Amino acid sequence: MRDVQRIAIVDPSDATREPLRNLLLGVDSVWLEAECARYEFFFDVIRQSQPDSAIVCLDADQAKAIQLIGQVAAEYPELPILAVSGRNDGQAILQALRSGAREFLTSPVQLEELLTVLQRMPRRTRGTDSSPGTGPGKINSRVYAVLGSRGGVGCTSVAVNLGATLAQAKEFSVALIDLDLALGDADVALDLMGDYTLADVALNIDRLDMAFLKRSLCKHASGLSLLPHPVQMEDCSLIREEHLQRLINLLRASYTHLILDLSKSFSPTDVTGLRMADTILVVAQLELSSLRNVVRMMLTLGNDPELAPKVQVVLNRVGTETDITVKKAEEIIGKPIFWQLPNDVKAMSEARTCGVPLLAQAARCKLQQSLAGLAQALTGKGARPAAPKAKRWFWQASS
Ligand SMILES: Nc1ncnc2c1ncn2[C@@H]1O[C@H](COP(=O)(O)OP(=O)(O)OP(=O)(O)O)[C@@H](O)[C@H]1O
Ligand SMILES: [Mg+2]
């Protein structure tokens, strides 16, 4: 199970407590540990439930609420307290903060503001057990942008198979966003047809909440979730940078790993994806046009102080006949190769034809082993091939 932030809330008013509760229940990275309707009882609730953070709504009785914040802050100085009020009363906000609240939010609380504040709240360390109630230590969400150095270089194959491989680790929840908006085929590679696409998310961006967002992703048997590109070509223009920014920020709260399958056009959404990524995997092959484009990309990406440190070059289809050695490629690019994926036409083309990840088709092939190694190199743990588990669900999926 994913690690979570355990939260206790107090708000005597049902009218404001319920929407806040629903908001918190929609966030996978949050565990609503305790909900209290009386300021008088909240101190005991905190003592018994030992949450990671506390939310105190001020409006039912400001004086009592502020006194409570002072009492809790004095007794549990490490417990971050978030004060909430809809009154826009500067004096009350100041008093709450002076009494020991670390953050303040205006009611009705907006999901993104809540997520931003929760991310800022310091976490209490409680050991290594990750189950709720015994002490989680949150896995920070990671975003991997996969960028091809020319058409057909293996960008989607890497994105899909890296995603499916990561999704095998039980502590990971992984989503793939197909940002090759016009011609993407991650849905074909996974044989998935969702009810929604990125276009639906863009059209509903103003009322986007966690429940809608989760409905928009379709889940593959491997555990990997997919948000497909728009079906209609003309809908591609609906998806703008700010939509993607919002989407990625929200998905980060529910998924430990996000993978972006980018187009090769350096469109505004691609650039947003690159900026929001923690790691940019540039997929290349040992041939001239691909390597020349990597050099061109490095001139752009490498000169951007924000992007340059995130770029890692992944060589795909290593082992195909070529005069260019890996060493030569490194000299041309001016950067060490991060990972090499072997050429395996049979396994990969069968997997693509059947619309399944390699894990299903050839879990033990060298290419899948190498993808598992890439997953491990990126995450530092987990994500082994898990062949027996993969076999079981895939026999069902492909039979
Ligand atoms: N390691 C590999 N070994 C053998 N074949 C591979 C390998 N990686 C990818 N391929 C094959 O290369 C072809 C192109 O792969 P893929 O669709 O992943 O590339 P892409 O960069 O996403 O292409 P596009 O430019 O269309 O987005 C596919 O037919 C796939 O089966
Ligand atoms: Mg592709």
Side-chain angles (χ1 to χ4, degrees), residues 151-157 264 316-317 342-345 348 352 367:
V153 80
C155 190
T156 302
S157 303
K264 280 133 185 134
N316 190 26
R317 306 194 68 168
N343 186 44
D344 191 337
V345 176
M348 187 59 97
R352 292 296 294 260
L367 179 51

Side-chain angles (χ1 to χ4, degrees), residues 8-69:
I9 60 173
V10 59
D11 185 356
S13 159
D14 294 346
T16 47
R17 193 179 65 251
E18 276 172 20
L20 183 57
R21 182 221 292 134
N22 292 339
L23 207 62
L24 290 166
L25 288 176
V27 182
D28 283 356
S29 56
V30 162
W31 179 266
L32 187 53
E33 183 71 29
E35 200 188 329
C36 181
R38 298 277 295 273
Y39 292 123
E40 297 84 338
F41 299 158
F42 196 55
F43 191 78
D44 285 339
V45 168
I46 297 278
R47 196 174 45 215
Q48 280 163 22
S49 61
Q50 299 275 312
D52 294 315
S53 18
I55 300 182
V56 178
C57 301
L58 307 182
D59 295 345
D61 187 331
Q62 269 183 14
K64 269 192 190 170
I66 286 166
Q67 191 191 11
L68 172 68
I69 289 173

Side-chain angles (χ1 to χ4, degrees), residues 315-353:
L315 272 187
N316 190 26
R317 306 194 68 168
V318 175
T320 33
E321 209 161 297
T322 170
D323 293 337
I324 306 171
T325 61
V326 175
K327 192 163 170 286
K328 185 77 192 157
E330 287 179 328
E331 279 169 22
I332 296 170
I333 298 167
K335 192 176 167 63
I337 301 296
F338 178 70
W339 202 259
Q340 299 178 38
L341 294 167
N343 186 44
D344 191 337
V345 176
K346 184 172 182 295
M348 187 59 97
S349 60
E350 278 176 12
R352 292 296 294 260
T353 309

